[in-house]
Amino acid sequence: MNIKILAEQLNLSISTVSRALRDSYEISEPTKARVRAMAKQLNYRINPYASSLRRHRSKTIAVLIPEITNNFFSQVINGIEYIAQEKNYHILIYITHEDVRKEIEFAHHLHNGRVDGVLMSVSAETNNYDHLNELMESGVPIVFFDRICESIETSSIITDDFESGFAATEHLFQCGCRRIGFFGLFEHLSISRKRYEGYLAALKKYGINKDDDLIVRSGNDIAANEAAITKVLTSANKPDGAFASIEKMAIASYNVCKRLDIDIPSQLKLISFSNLEISTLLNPSLTTITQPAYEIGKQAAMQLFRYLEKKLYMNRHEKIVLKSSLIPRQSTKKTHSA
Amino acid sequence: MNIKILAEQLNLSISTVSRALRDSYEISEPTKARVRAMAKQLNYRINPYASSLRRHRSKTIAVLIPEITNNFFSQVINGIEYIAQEKNYHILIYITHEDVRKEIEFAHHLHNGRVDGVLMSVSAETNNYDHLNELMESGVPIVFFDRICESIETSSIITDDFESGFAATEHLFQCGCRRIGFFGLFEHLSISRKRYEGYLAALKKYGINKDDDLIVRSGNDIAANEAAITKVLTSANKPDGAFASIEKMAIASYNVCKRLDIDIPSQLKLISFSNLEISTLLNPSLTTITQPAYEIGKQAAMQLFRYLEKKLYMNRHEKIVLKSSLIPRQSTKKTHSA
DNA sequence: CTGTTAGCGCATTCAG
DNA sequence: CTGAATGCGCTAACAG
């Protein structure tokens, strides 16, 4: 089944049929109707590979993320999918598992025209962005979300990381904490650095000195993370509050507290970044900061389509900053920066 | 940049280069090395669309799921991705949002050769499978997982739904419950029916009569689900235990209990299907049944590749049944059917 | 072991 | 408004 057979059945030329199918203005309405009817009857579908080969565009975008079993990223995908469906685009998923080598491999692969554009959040290990620069230079637009790459000149969607880091720390202070731990990712990630800077700013505002013994940086190894947290929580100068700036560390902290029989919140106040919608529901003693993940996905996809539709040229770029919400343990929702 | 330019640079014919790139046995090692070196130097990549057009295969599979912001499905995708990466395949994601019309639209679309095979879980609304039968007949193999379609003759990966439904209900009985509610999906879904049958069998074993007033079927509307659960939990003959056979209903039950100030587990014992790894961690009063989602994804993908690699013909099919785990509120893990 | 040739199915010039 | 002809980039007979 191909366009040739369809054209023969209709006693029309291939080109006429092709134009009719793409609803070209050059074709009369009756002809279009005939073509559509016959196409339907014969169950004809345009071959996407032939079409893409000819048109040099794939109607496909790639989504590159560090992990998928994470409510934040799956909500983002949901948002992306909403826009992609609207635009009749297809979504290819690539998961790096926080492995730079995989990220590089995917980036290199995508030079081949398989996708028209890329939406991504960089892996925690990544600190050299050559592979992404090359991809951009080869004409594939990239839009970053959340874990962005500041040295690459392109659009990105982020949340108010500094402000929410500040708000989280301030919240702990207002709950009476004076020794506040920070559990986060490596500082070369922009989100980590900014949340950390917010944390530092809040400490400063309330006249608390930073104590490096209360800082834990997450690696990929969960056991190692838990060991590092355990060390902090069992030290002589242990914290009375902690800010887990990524969900992975929140879960690790929770595990450690359980093992050490430390009660949250009476012995340790914990506040964490989390998009696990039901976490506060299941355990109201957790205070969380939630990012508008679905909206982030939508905005990122919309921005990418601006590039694809040439409404925005690749040498122009925009940073879009969305607001996170702080959900205190009373479960009353409020936007911290509203 | 294309294979022609590459061939010219090498003073070789296009076909020799093409063969060298695919590591054909017909090409000498030195030539292959030269080709690879030049390809690397010139940053050449095979155009996947030209290749797919010519070879009539896309090296791409589609994953069709009802929702993605759900730990079960995202873990499944993780498993699928693991196998796909091993096989150098690409993954297109389609989310039906439990909408049959979207499912039909996707299925029709995929007749066009965009993918070599499909992995899917049917939407809750689906009760006519023509669109899937047509897709199979057009030569695209489908492997179902979890929400399978029993009337289509193809392979599928499921869990021991009857047994886990039985175990869940028995667990409630052993905890002292005598009026046990069942909160599930529509019965036309095989997983729902089997879990329900397990529930009924357990009631029978312990001489408890089924009470239709304790049965709630979930729709897509969360508010309506919560209203139905509220009605049951506030009736004169309210249950002392409940089995939520899908996570959505577990969350709804939890919400309702909170609103009604019903304590779990002292006033209502709740057991639920859930792949939210940290749910028992966050709230040890929940007993959960966890499906091996990652393994389901891997098995499903492996089975699909058996079709794609012609190790299994499409008229042959296998049902693979994996075991779920019952995690009681003590958090001691055990496989209920081990 | 390598080259020549003929399409895969479609979109788009260009010519009417 | 429609048709003929060309080629997107690659693979696979077939031929040597």
Side-chain angles (χ1 to χ4, degrees), chain A residues 2-3 15 18 22 44 47 51 54:
Chain A
N2 57 27
I3 203 172
S15 51
S18 174
R22 353 201 91 264
Y44 169 80
N47 179 314
S51 182
R54 185 59 235 257

Side-chain angles (χ1 to χ4, degrees), chain B residues 103-322:
Chain B
E103 189 180 284
I104 292 173
E105 197 182 299
F106 291 143
H108 280 174
H109 173 86
L110 293 177
H111 272 96
N112 62 10
R114 190 181 288 277
V115 299
D116 297 342
V118 173
L119 290 168
M120 80 178 285
S121 228
V122 300
S123 109
E125 283 184 351
T126 311
N127 54 18
N128 172 308
Y129 302 109
D130 291 349
H131 55 297
L132 303 178
N133 269 313
E134 283 166 17
L135 188 54
M136 287 277 294
E137 278 159 22
S138 83
V140 179
I142 305 177
V143 170
F144 292 100
F145 59 87
D146 201 47
R147 301 196 194 170
I148 69 170
C149 170
E150 290 180 308
S151 65
I152 294 181
E153 306 225 321
T154 186
S155 293
S156 54
I157 319 293
I158 49 175
T159 43
D160 50 353
D161 293 299
F162 177 89
E163 289 78 3
S164 42
F166 185 91
T169 313
E170 186 169 54
H171 177 84
L172 290 172
F173 180 84
Q174 287 164 350
C175 289
C177 302
R178 293 301 175 266
R179 293 187 50 74
I180 300 175
F182 177 90
F183 306 158
L185 270 172
F186 310 116
E187 236 185 305
H188 63 256
L189 272 183
S190 59
I191 54 163
S192 260
R193 197 178 55 253
K194 290 189 173 168
R195 290 171 193 176
Y196 183 56
E197 285 167 1
Y199 161 79
L200 293 180
L203 291 188
K204 194 168 177 191
K205 174 174 173 187
Y206 294 104
I208 299 177
N209 288 325
K210 179 185 78 151
D211 181 348
D212 282 336
D213 291 342
L214 298 179
I215 314 283
V216 179
R217 297 289 177 181
S218 163
N220 232 337
D221 179 354
I222 292 177
N225 294 341
E226 294 189 358
I229 292 172
T230 303
K231 197 177 156 200
V232 171
L233 295 185
T234 52
S235 78
N237 281 316
K238 61 172 176 270
D240 49 10
F243 168 34
S245 82
I246 52 168
E247 190 172 304
K248 191 181 278 187
M249 290 303 257
I251 296 175
S253 308
Y254 209 87
N255 265 322
V256 170
C257 286
K258 196 151 197 190
R259 205 172 301 134
L260 298 178
D261 222 17
I262 296 177
D263 182 60
I264 300 172
S266 72
Q267 291 173 265
L268 179 79
K269 310 255 182 299
L270 184 63
I271 182 165
S272 68
F273 263 80
S274 170
N275 269 267
L276 212 47
E277 282 166 34
I278 65 164
S279 62
T280 44
L281 183 68
L282 287 175
N283 191 322
S285 67
L286 272 182
T287 298
T288 61
I289 299 213
T290 301
Q291 294 176 277
Y294 183 71
E295 191 61 26
I296 291 173
K298 277 172 61 171
Q299 294 277 343
M302 284 165 58
Q303 192 68 13
L304 182 57
F305 280 110
R306 284 190 202 108
Y307 287 120
L308 299 182
E309 293 165 356
K310 307 289 177 204
K311 288 178 184 160
L312 190 63
Y313 289 97
M314 275 181 72
N315 55 13
R316 305 277 312 147
H317 49 277
E318 296 170 9
K319 297 240 169 299
I320 298 175
V321 182
L322 302 179

Side-chain angles (χ1 to χ4, degrees), chain B residues 66-107:
Chain B
E67 47 174 343
I68 191 162
T69 47
N70 169 312
N71 238 34
F72 174 74
F73 288 114
S74 50
Q75 285 175 235
V76 168
I77 292 174
N78 224 15
I80 293 171
E81 195 260 359
Y82 180 84
I83 301 295
Q85 236 179 76
E86 216 170 62
K87 301 280 185 185
N88 270 306
Y89 260 68
H90 300 261
I91 301 173
L92 283 166
I93 293 275
Y94 298 94
I95 307 172
T96 62
H97 302 282
E98 305 279 17
D99 180 343
V100 212
R101 286 167 310 174
K102 282 206 171 141
E103 189 180 284
I104 292 173
E105 197 182 299
F106 291 143

Side-chain angles (χ1 to χ4, degrees), chain A residues 46-186:
Chain A
I46 290 179
N47 179 314
Y49 294 104
S51 182
S52 291
L53 174 60
R54 185 59 235 257
R55 305 185 69 185
H56 300 286
R57 46 191 287 233
S58 59
K59 286 224 155 212
T60 305
I61 58 174
V63 175
L64 247 82
I65 47 174
E67 49 174 341
I68 191 161
T69 47
N70 170 312
N71 237 35
F72 174 74
F73 289 113
S74 50
Q75 283 174 238
V76 168
I77 293 174
N78 224 16
I80 293 170
E81 194 260 358
Y82 179 85
I83 302 296
Q85 236 179 77
E86 215 171 63
K87 301 281 185 183
N88 270 306
Y89 260 68
H90 300 262
I91 301 172
L92 282 167
I93 293 274
Y94 298 94
I95 307 171
T96 63
H97 302 282
E98 304 280 18
D99 181 343
V100 211
R101 285 167 311 173
K102 281 205 172 144
E103 189 180 285
I104 293 173
E105 197 182 299
F106 290 142
H108 280 175
H109 173 86
L110 292 177
H111 272 97
N112 61 11
R114 190 181 290 276
V115 299
D116 298 342
V118 174
L119 290 168
M120 79 178 285
S121 228
V122 301
S123 107
E125 283 184 350
T126 310
N127 54 16
N128 172 309
Y129 301 110
D130 291 349
H131 55 296
L132 302 179
N133 268 314
E134 284 166 18
L135 188 53
M136 287 276 295
E137 279 160 22
S138 82
V140 179
I142 305 179
V143 170
F144 293 99
F145 58 88
D146 201 47
R147 301 195 193 170
I148 69 170
C149 169
E150 291 180 307
S151 65
I152 295 182
E153 306 224 322
T154 186
S155 292
S156 55
I157 319 293
I158 50 175
T159 43
D160 50 351
D161 292 299
F162 177 89
E163 289 78 5
S164 42
F166 186 92
T169 312
E170 185 169 55
H171 177 83
L172 289 172
F173 179 84
Q174 288 165 348
C175 289
C177 302
R178 293 300 175 267
R179 292 187 50 74
I180 301 175
F182 178 89
F183 306 158
L185 270 172
F186 311 116

